[in-house]
């Protein structure tokens, strides 16, 4: 029987895709000149400092960017041509890295798909006979071999969607960066609109694509499973595993790439050579801008897609073994998909507030406009959740509660989703308070730079530890209320509530790297100081919103992981987990250690790659005559190659640690030890991730606070090149791998281990515990 949900879900996904296309058509109206810089230089002549030329030529121009008329008086065809050339170089570098990375990931995906099939197929020795259902007594379910086949297919679908999400995001960002720079000629408003609309294209494409693919997979799988919804939604959990597997490698690989280039460029360029950020004389500048796209765009897109897929799959699985699952009420079981559908419509309306209804007109209006997006989307989504809850769900039903039956009313779930939604906002605003230079914590970190880098590092670490308090309490309250009202299903939908406005969250997140690239292009193209000030204002606001996005991702990861943990415990047949049992406690201690082991691997990888980058940048400054004076062009390709080789080589060991830990624990030590491992990793990983991300964000904005010199206090610490500024740059380089590599990757660690354990739970329950029987 076709329900209203069958019309609403694909329709909302189609609307989201259409809106993304419309936003891109608006952005694509901004043209970047295709003329060659050499031809433009021949026409314009003039003298000035050398700027970037991919072919290794030197081009001189008096700066500015614009068409022949010269918007804002900043004309210069040559500068416009350089915008196009730099944009092309960034796009080529990002494409090259991603295509090489995807070759590695294709091999991994094929091997791991075989592992999933063999492990799950062996649960009943690859039998094709129907098996008794685990939750619906007296009923036969599809054979374990079918679960192996469809879980493998779902894994491949999730992996493909995750890769597509990251790649599309990167393509959009590399096409939007120069357009944002060009729009900055007209003012801060048009530049903000170009960057934000481009971010919205990525946000809506990813959210809509994830929803549509998951809905189609459920319908197609349902043709075989029929009324066996228990088996259907168990196999769908492979979708979340595929998404998170790709996200892990995308986050780690992209993070190593971008931070190796960033640290190398800053240490030699700013500290040793005292040249501006994104100066075209710096050999690592192109690699740095490429890194913004492969790390902060492609990696972040895959990460949030993984969170969305996992939270949805966890909620669908737990919902399928409830009373409305047994009654085959598709609208009620699809409650998580309907929440996401409503989220798309809410985010569409919210986006129009920033781009059309209340446009940014001044530099001071940028940050409030982005904060308003979070507030408007949360308020509107609360109304959307209310409508969906009372429309889709029966008034009263029962939920699976670890062997017991819990009576739940529809308004209980409304509160579960809503508390997750508002907890996300609380985490976001707390993150902003600790990472924005508009507030005292970051200003205190900046002030500590007066006495050198050591005090800066001490203050930054203290800030990161302190910033954990409010988010953890918000997560704790969400968990308690949600579990009390609706058991593990309540936690799953609370996580979904936090991610329900993922399209807006992604738009804000992607806006940051796009603005950062726009500023880099402005600097490399030699544009006027006025244009660079505008792009810097966009970048400063984007830096804080990026930290807010990381806070959302980590907070939602905690709830998602707990929901997956609960689903794993129920699927493995455990009614109680006794922490005093040595089997469980051993897992708990080892699990709490894993985030530190993982962080050590990723931090050292960035350090090793940055060391090679620093040596190469120093070598080029010493070996290339006239480079410092601007008469020669550096070898950008060598720095791009160093980052690419290091990231691809170094992303494998951390990925192997995360993927092998649950398999080893479950196979050799059993489900009790694995449960302890997951709980330990969750509790430890969330704290480390929040403190690392916020310390890094605070150090970054403390440096920008000194560089901007917007207050008397900041002017007293500056200008650029002062001892306080150099101390701030050192703190920023320490924080870079914390906020962009280790911190964001940790939320994938806790999610991926949990969803992997859920997918392999039938095997662990049947054959696990070879040592701890």
């Amino acid at each position: 029987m076709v329900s209203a949900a069958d019309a609403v879900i694909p329709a909302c996904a189609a609307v989201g895709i259409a809106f993304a296309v419309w936003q891109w058509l608006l952005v694509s109206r901004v043209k970047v000149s295709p003329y060659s810089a050499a031809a433009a230089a021949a026409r314009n002549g003039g003298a000035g400092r050398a700027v970037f030329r991919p072919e290794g030529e030197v081009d001189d121009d008096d700066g500015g960017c614009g068409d022949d008329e010269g918007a804002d008086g900043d004309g210069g065809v040559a500068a416009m041509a350089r915008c196009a050339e730099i944009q092309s170089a960034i796009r080529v570098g990002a494409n090259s890295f991603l295509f090489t990375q995807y070759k590695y990931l294709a091999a991994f995906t094929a091997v791991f798909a075989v592992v999933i099939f063999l492990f799950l197929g062996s649960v009943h020795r690859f039998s094709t006979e129907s098996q008794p259902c685990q939750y619906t007594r007296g009923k036969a379910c599809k054979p374990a071999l079918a679960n192996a086949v469809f879980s493998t297919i779902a894994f491949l679908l999730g992996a493909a969607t995750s890769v597509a999400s990251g790649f599309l995001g990167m393509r959009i960002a590399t096409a939007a960066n120069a357009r944002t720079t060009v729009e900055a000629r007209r003012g801060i408003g048009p530049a903000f609109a170009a960057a934000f609309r481009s971010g919205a294209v990525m946000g809506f494409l990813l959210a809509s694509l994830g929803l549509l693919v998951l809905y189609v997979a459920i319908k197609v799988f349902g043709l075989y499973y029929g009324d066996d919804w228990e088996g259907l939604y168990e196999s769908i959990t492979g979708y979340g595993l595929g998404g998170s597997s790709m996200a892990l490698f995308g986050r780690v690989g992209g993070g190593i790439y971008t931070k190796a280039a960033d640290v190398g460029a800053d240490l030699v360029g700013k500290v040793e050579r005292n040249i501006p950020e994104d100066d075209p004389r710096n050999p690592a500048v192109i690699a740095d801008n490429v890194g913004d796209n492969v790390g902060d765009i492609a990696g972040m897109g895959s990460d949030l897609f993984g969170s969305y897929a996992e939270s949805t799959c966890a909620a669908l699985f737990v919902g399928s073994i409830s009373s409305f699952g047994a009654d085959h009420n598709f609208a009620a079981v699809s409650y998580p998909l309907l929440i996401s559908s409503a989220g798309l419509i809410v985010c569409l309306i919210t986006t129009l507030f920033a781009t059309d209804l209340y446009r940014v007109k001044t530099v001071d209006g940028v940050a409030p406009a982005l904060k308003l997006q979070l507030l408007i989307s949360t308020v509107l989504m609360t109304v959307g959740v209310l409508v969906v809850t009372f429309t889709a769900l029966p008034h009263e039903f029962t939920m699976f509660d670890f062997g017991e039956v819990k009576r739940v009313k529809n308004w209980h779930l409304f509160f579960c989703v809503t508390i997750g939604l508002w907890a996300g906002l609380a985490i976001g605003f707390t993150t902003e308070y600790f990472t924005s230079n508009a507030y005292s914590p970051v200003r205190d970190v900046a002030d500590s730079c007066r006495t050198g880098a050591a005090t800066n590092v001490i203050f930054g670490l203290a800030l990161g530890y302190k910033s954990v308090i409010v988010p953890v309490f918000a997560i704790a309250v969400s968990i308690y209320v949600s579990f009390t009202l609706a058991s593990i299903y309540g936690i799953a939908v609370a996580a979904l509530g936090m991610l329900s406005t993922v399209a807006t969250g992604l738009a804000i997140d992607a806006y940051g790297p796009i603005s950062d690239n726009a500023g880099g292009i402005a600097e490399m193209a030699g544009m006027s100081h006025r244009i660079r000030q505008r792009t810097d204002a966009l970048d400063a606001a984007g830096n804080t919103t990026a930290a807010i996005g990381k806070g959302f991702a980590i907070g939602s990861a905690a709830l998602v992981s707990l929901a997956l943990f609960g689903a794993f415990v129920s699927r493995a047949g455990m009614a109680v987990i006794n922490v005093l049992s040595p089997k469980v406690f051993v897992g708990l201690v080892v699990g709490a250690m894993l985030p530190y082991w993982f962080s050590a691997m990723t931090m050292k990888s960035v350090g090793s790659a940055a060391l090679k980058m620093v040596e190469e940048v120093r070598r080029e400054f010493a070996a290339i005559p006239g480079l410092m004076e601007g008469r020669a062009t550096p070898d950008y390709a060598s720095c791009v190659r160093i980052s690419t080789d290091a990231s691809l080589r170094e992303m494998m060991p951390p990925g192997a640690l995360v993927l092998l830990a649950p398999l080893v624990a479950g196979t050799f030590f059993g489900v009790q030890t694995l449960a302890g491992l997951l709980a330990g990793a969750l509790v430890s990983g969330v704290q480390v991730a929040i403190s690392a991300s916020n310390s890094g964000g605070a150090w970054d904005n403390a440096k920008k606070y000194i560089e901007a010199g917007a207050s008397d206090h900041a002017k007293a610490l500056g200008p650029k090149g002062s001892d306080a500024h150099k101390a701030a740059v050192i703190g920023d380089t320490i924080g870079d791998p914390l906020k962009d590599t280790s911190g964001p990757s940790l939320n994938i660690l806790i999610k991926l281990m949990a969803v992997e354990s859920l997918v392999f739970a039938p095997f662990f329950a049947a054959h696990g515990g070879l040592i701890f029987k």
Side-chain angles (χ1 to χ4, degrees), residues 119 121-125 666-668 670 761-770 773:
F119 271 61
S122 65
V123 171
H124 292 292
R125 302 182 184 278
T667 303
F668 291 100
F763 174 83
F764 296 147
H767 304 300
L770 298 179
K773 275 293 184 185

Side-chain angles (χ1 to χ4, degrees), residues 205-246:
L205 274 181
L206 187 148
S208 303
L209 192 63
L211 176 65
L212 188 60
V213 172
L214 187 55
Y215 171 78
V216 171
I218 290 170
K219 286 299 178 181
V220 172
F221 285 17
L223 297 177
Y224 169 79
Y225 277 100
D227 62 354
D228 178 14
W229 284 19
E230 183 180 312
L232 167 63
Y233 289 102
E234 183 177 321
S235 66
I236 283 292
T237 57
Y239 185 76
L241 176 59
S244 258
S245 299
M246 298 301 102

Side-chain angles (χ1 to χ4, degrees), residues 410-500:
N410 53 12
W411 62 267
H412 290 170
L413 290 187
F414 165 72
F415 279 109
C416 292
V417 178
T418 304
I419 197 167
L421 179 66
W422 285 90
L425 187 68
I427 293 171
F429 283 161
T430 302
T431 304
E432 186 212 12
Y433 174 73
F434 280 102
T435 58
S436 171
N437 55 31
Y439 304 104
S440 61
V442 171
R443 295 190 177 193
D444 289 343
V445 172
D447 190 65
S448 71
C449 294
R450 291 183 295 108
T451 51
T455 47
N456 180 29
V457 171
I458 292 169
F459 269 69
L461 287 174
L463 179 149
Y465 298 149
K466 189 176 181 181
S467 70
V468 172
I469 299 170
V470 174
V472 166
F473 273 114
I475 293 169
V477 170
S478 300
I479 291 170
Y480 181 80
V481 173
S482 301
F483 192 86
T484 301
L485 291 175
S487 188
I488 203 67
Y489 188 72
I491 295 174
V493 295
L496 202 61
M498 200 175 284
L499 290 164
S500 58

